[in-house]
Amino acid sequence: RNYYFNKEGHLQFYKINSGIADYYYNTNDVRYKVELSVPYIDQTDNGASQGCEGASLQMALKAKGKALNISYRKFLDDMPRSNDPRKGFVHSMYSNYPTNEPHWIDTVPLANYGNRYGTVEDIRSASISRLKSELANGNPIVVYVVSGFKDPVWGNFWYGRIPYNLHVVTLVGYDDSNGTYKINDPYYGIKWINHTTFEKSYNTLGKRAIVVK
């Protein structure tokens, strides 16, 4: 347990490390911040411009001590492929073409793939409180959002309506003191995102998420 004081010597907060996460408590012993230790993977490594799902999932697995001995390239290449995103990855992870349809995989097949390496659960429709609870339990979450947390560019496809600019990130923490979430974004880097911005994007994608336990 580490205690932090201001210059007058008054306790400001204290921190407890569990190994996978830092937990921050105020002077009333109320936990207000959780920050998981999750290694970062750049999705564009090996030219995988469309590798956000795989990068985000492998980051979460590695945080739990899983998928440590498989390269990022092989992790991507072993993912299931299909013409149906509800069964496997659609199109290529290594090319932006075709540009008239998203390159992606939905939560069910992604979670099924993750279960080859660890314990992964599809928690689509999870509330914000559920997401925070999983983080508090030391479990990173793979979350579907809009790229750059911008407005969605919608497309209608035979399997349903989905944004062309969908993106996937790893949710690794939250801070209630300033209303932010910490994400490992495999394209844009490690960031703290305003809660309103994050929650709007999460809701836009139908609350798609998988948790690694």
Side-chain angles (χ1 to χ4, degrees):
R1 182 177 294 199
N2 297 311
Y3 294 90
Y4 297 82
F5 300 86
N6 61 23
K7 61 183 180 181
E8 287 78 28
H10 299 127
L11 178 67
Q12 290 183 296
F13 64 93
Y14 63 92
K15 180 176 72 172
I16 298 174
N17 179 269
S18 70
I20 194 173
D22 287 325
Y23 299 93
Y24 295 77
Y25 295 82
N26 63 24
T27 53
N28 294 317
D29 298 320
V30 175
R31 184 177 63 221
Y32 67 90
K33 181 179 177 180
V34 175
E35 190 171 0
L36 275 59
S37 177
V38 178
Y40 183 76
I41 296 175
D42 182 339
Q43 74 179 65
T44 64
D45 284 355
N46 295 289
S49 58
Q50 301 288 340
C52 59
E53 294 97 335
S56 296
L57 176 58
Q58 193 173 23
M59 282 191 270
L61 285 164
K62 283 179 176 289
K64 304 295 281 190
K66 308 297 183 180
L68 298 176
N69 298 318
I70 181 171
S71 69
Y72 172 53
R73 176 65 183 248
K74 182 165 176 52
F75 189 78
L76 294 184
D77 290 347
D78 286 352
M79 286 176 63
R81 301 297 203 278
S82 176
N83 292 324
D84 184 343
R86 297 165 297 185
K87 296 180 180 178
F89 196 91
V90 175
H91 299 307
S92 173
M93 300 177 202
Y94 303 99
S95 172
N96 294 328
Y97 297 95
T99 59
N100 62 345
E101 187 174 346
H103 299 219
W104 74 298
I105 181 173
D106 212 341
T107 54
V108 171
L110 188 64
N112 289 341
Y113 177 61
N115 275 310
R116 295 187 192 179
Y117 302 95
T119 302
V120 183
E121 180 184 351
D122 181 1
I123 57 169
R124 183 169 175 170
S125 301
S127 65
I128 292 300
S129 62
R130 170 73 187 278
L131 298 184
K132 287 185 172 182
S133 177
E134 293 291 354
L135 292 171
N137 287 329
N139 299 328
I141 307 165
V142 176
V143 180
Y144 288 57
V145 294
V146 180
S147 182
F149 295 92
K150 298 178 180 178
D151 291 333
V153 179
W154 290 103
N156 292 300
F157 307 98
W158 68 267
Y159 51 77
R161 187 169 182 255
I162 202 77
Y164 288 99
N165 55 340
L166 73 86
H167 188 42
V168 177
V169 302
T170 310
L171 182 63
V172 302
Y174 68 86
D175 187 345
D176 285 338
S177 71
N178 59 13
T180 57
Y181 295 95
K182 185 178 182 181
I183 61 166
N184 280 17
D185 186 317
Y187 190 83
Y188 292 103
I190 299 172
K191 297 178 177 293
W192 285 92
I193 303 292
N194 174 272
H195 73 97
T196 301
T197 300
F198 173 83
E199 291 168 14
K200 178 182 178 182
S201 202
Y202 172 62
N203 290 335
T204 294
L205 268 292
K207 298 183 178 179
R208 283 178 164 89
I210 65 174
V211 62
V212 178
K213 297 183 175 182

